[in-house]
Amino acid sequence: MNNSQYPLARTNGLVVQEVPNEVLVFDMETNEAHCLNETAAMVWKYCDGKTSVPQIAEILGEGKESAVSDDLIWLAIDQLNEHKLLEKEVATKFAGQSRREVLRKIGLASMVALPIIASMAAPRSVLASTSCACATNGNCGAFQPGCPPTCNTTTSTCVP
Amino acid sequence: MSSNNNRHRTLLRAYGVEAIIEADDRNIFEKVKAVASKALVGRLTFGEVGESAERPVYSFLTNDSGTVEFNIADVTSGEYKDDFGFERFLNGAIRSHIAAMSKSWVFLHAGVVEWRGKAIILPGHSHKGKTTLVSELIRLGAGYMSDEYAVMDENGLVHPFERDLGVRFAPDEGPTPVDPAVFGGARAIDPVEAGMIVFTGFVKNAEWKPETITLGSGILESVPEVIPFSFNTEFVLKVLNTTFNRAIIVKSDRGEALDTAPKILEYFDQLIIDVR
């Protein structure tokens, strides 16, 4: 079962590290790291292919003064989709609404922190950031992120 | 092309990594060993190559036209040059390769100083003013640990990687090695726990306004600076978690290093007072 009502978290190709109130996920396929805040991490945790979106909302709302809306869960799922953290992309229910509109709507009413997933790309090169030293143009630019693109072979330094 | 019989070979061991250095020219062989020694701040040994498992090779071999070609573990290759610029490149290439291959250490591109018995770590790429800020911090009495890497062990302790400071005297020039003693600084010797992680970069006229960020955000911010992240991810995440969990993690733009360095130390001192 993996329809939009029963989202399933992806597990293959991911390295997961739990830290207090957050979860870090490194995607070996895209070479990107993601940091899920507590709400996003909780939603991801319950994306087990058996728990529906309303059920996840119910779980997150336990012990809170007011109910957690399905929209908040969908907002998390929308981001999990975007970062390829679900087994299959699921159609979210925000048709015709921008994320900003949804955020505004949920943000005013929610007793739970909005789900946030922040991401960062990891360097692929073994020689990433070798002080912008180079032997050829190939050692500059993308090979050493943050360094200028051209190798000045006289000084062996990447230059603009 | 040189035959195998004419090759000088040695086994380099550093930070749990083994690599073979081979060259068919004795002078080049000795120079490469010296560069490797400098690149790894003397924390290496050389030994017999033997016949055991396959290892990465740093080769410096003469081709049919008499040119010496280098190949660093199939990561980068080209023509060998006998000059300071190439030596600097080779230094960085060997250091980065060992850092990337290490299974028991994590290398985070960062400036590091020791202050009040803790490490202040300033993660960041080259050309972001790390060395300038580190220089000012040690001028104020902080112990010099590194202007290149925060080297962390499996227990999350931060070890010195105390090469000379790489000071750039012009934006398009490579760094020149400068002894930290020039700035009045002492080199820290022992590993210490992290006390503060500072994500900062120079922005003209910016003020130092540190904001604490979460542990997860701090680890995420450091991802682009880990050499490289994807080789040993589980271990890297565990070590960063252990190291950063003991520290305050802050983020702020900054102006000139001269103005910012005292504010960083004052901020850290205030944190200690607040904790007590």
Side-chain angles (χ1 to χ4, degrees):
Chain A
M1 196 185 300
N2 187 32
N3 64 32
S4 61
Q5 286 297 310
Y6 295 89
L8 179 61
R10 185 182 142 209
T11 52
N12 284 338
L14 301 179
V15 177
V16 179
Q17 173 80 48
E18 292 188 19
V19 300
N21 304 321
E22 291 164 302
V23 169
L24 288 153
V25 182
F26 187 76
D27 188 334
M28 304 296 280
E29 290 173 13
T30 62
N31 214 46
E32 280 187 338
H34 309 291
C35 179
L36 284 62
N37 75 348
E38 192 169 15
T39 307
M42 286 280 280
V43 172
W44 194 51
K45 177 182 166 186
Y46 287 106
C47 287
D48 56 5
K50 297 173 196 162
T51 310
S52 69
V53 168
Q55 285 171 326
I56 296 174
E58 204 176 308
I59 293 166
L60 261 66
E62 279 172 13
K64 304 282 187 311
E65 285 179 13
S66 62
V68 169
S69 76
D70 289 4
D71 281 348
L72 185 119
I73 309 303
W74 282 116
L75 190 63
I77 287 172
D78 191 37
Q79 292 178 73
L80 292 168
N81 263 337
E82 186 185 329
H83 296 292
K84 299 182 173 38
L85 294 176
L86 295 176
E87 201 58 48
K88 281 185 186 169
E89 191 170 318
V90 297
T92 55
K93 54 169 281 190
F94 298 140
Q97 292 180 86
S98 70
R99 191 183 285 173
R100 181 176 292 184
E101 286 170 333
V102 176
L103 273 170
R104 197 180 301 134
K105 188 171 130 194
I106 301 170
L108 293 172
S110 181
M111 298 294 287
V112 175
L114 294 172
I116 296 172
I117 302 178
S119 300
M120 198 70 85
R124 290 179 185 275
S125 164
V126 167
L127 295 192
S129 301
T130 55
S131 304
C132 298
C134 60
T136 66
N137 282 343
N139 298 143
C140 297
F143 198 70
Q144 292 190 64
C147 295
T150 310
C151 184
N152 178 334
T153 51
T154 308
T155 60
S156 295
T157 302
C158 301
V159 292
Chain B
M1 189 77 78
S2 63
S3 73
N4 280 348
N5 294 338
N6 297 333
R7 291 182 191 176
H8 307 281
R9 304 179 90 212
T10 188
L11 182 67
L12 178 161
R13 284 195 186 93
Y15 292 99
V17 181
E18 293 185 338
I20 294 167
I21 296 174
E22 69 174 12
D24 52 10
D25 180 292
R26 182 89 211 170
N27 284 337
I28 291 175
F29 180 67
E30 293 302 334
K31 272 185 189 169
V32 173
K33 281 175 66 181
V35 169
S37 195
K38 201 170 166 185
L40 299 162
V41 293
R43 290 188 172 84
L44 78 173
T45 60
F46 295 111
E48 293 294 319
V49 172
E51 295 296 324
S52 55
E54 200 172 299
R55 303 181 188 92
V57 176
Y58 308 155
S59 69
F60 301 81
L61 302 174
T62 311
N63 65 18
D64 292 339
S65 57
T67 304
V68 177
E69 292 176 345
F70 74 89
N71 184 318
I72 304 297
D74 292 330
V75 175
T76 181
S77 58
E79 187 180 329
Y80 173 85
K81 289 193 293 180
D82 188 10
D83 61 32
F84 177 72
F86 183 80
E87 186 182 309
R88 200 171 66 78
F89 165 74
L90 188 59
N91 182 310
I94 292 174
R95 189 174 62 240
S96 294
H97 183 256
I98 296 293
M101 295 296 124
S102 182
K103 300 279 187 204
S104 47
W105 298 82
V106 173
F107 291 76
L108 174 70
H109 210 66
V112 191
V113 297
E114 182 265 322
W115 183 249
R116 311 286 188 223
K118 302 279 186 184
I120 297 177
I121 302 175
L122 310 153
H125 286 324
S126 296
H127 288 284
K128 294 288 182 191
K130 278 195 322 285
T131 299
T132 315
L133 191 51
V134 166
S135 305
E136 290 303 328
L137 288 165
I138 60 178
R139 201 195 297 273
L140 293 168
Y144 176 61
M145 294 186 76
S146 181
D147 77 337
E148 179 73 4
Y149 291 143
V151 181
M152 293 162 275
D153 66 23
E154 60 184 342
N155 299 313
L157 290 178
V158 185
H159 293 246
F161 192 84
E162 70 286 23
R163 63 172 202 162
D164 285 345
L165 288 150
V167 178
R168 286 176 206 277
F169 292 101
D172 59 346
E173 280 182 13
T176 302
V178 175
D179 190 315
V182 168
F183 299 98
R187 293 173 189 252
I189 297 165
D190 298 320
V192 289
E193 289 183 356
M196 187 160 73
I197 320 292
V198 183
F199 293 93
T200 188
F202 175 75
V203 176
K204 198 174 179 184
N205 298 326
E207 277 187 50
W208 167 250
K209 287 182 183 167
E211 289 181 7
T212 55
I213 60 172
T214 63
L215 175 60
S217 300
I219 294 175
L220 189 72
E221 288 273 343
S222 72
V223 164
E225 315 304 341
V226 177
I227 317 287
F229 201 84
S230 52
F231 276 33
N232 198 10
T233 308
E234 202 166 344
F235 179 74
V236 168
L237 280 173
K238 181 176 159 287
V239 170
L240 289 177
N241 187 5
T242 308
T243 309
F244 285 22
N245 199 16
R246 295 168 177 151
I248 295 287
I249 310 173
V250 298
K251 191 174 180 181
S252 173
D253 290 335
R254 68 167 177 87
E256 297 295 337
L258 187 67
D259 300 325
T260 310
K263 289 174 182 165
I264 289 176
L265 297 181
E266 281 164 23
Y267 182 79
F268 186 75
D269 286 349
Q270 190 58 48
L271 286 174
I272 293 174
I273 292 166
D274 290 348
V275 167
R276 283 175 185 160

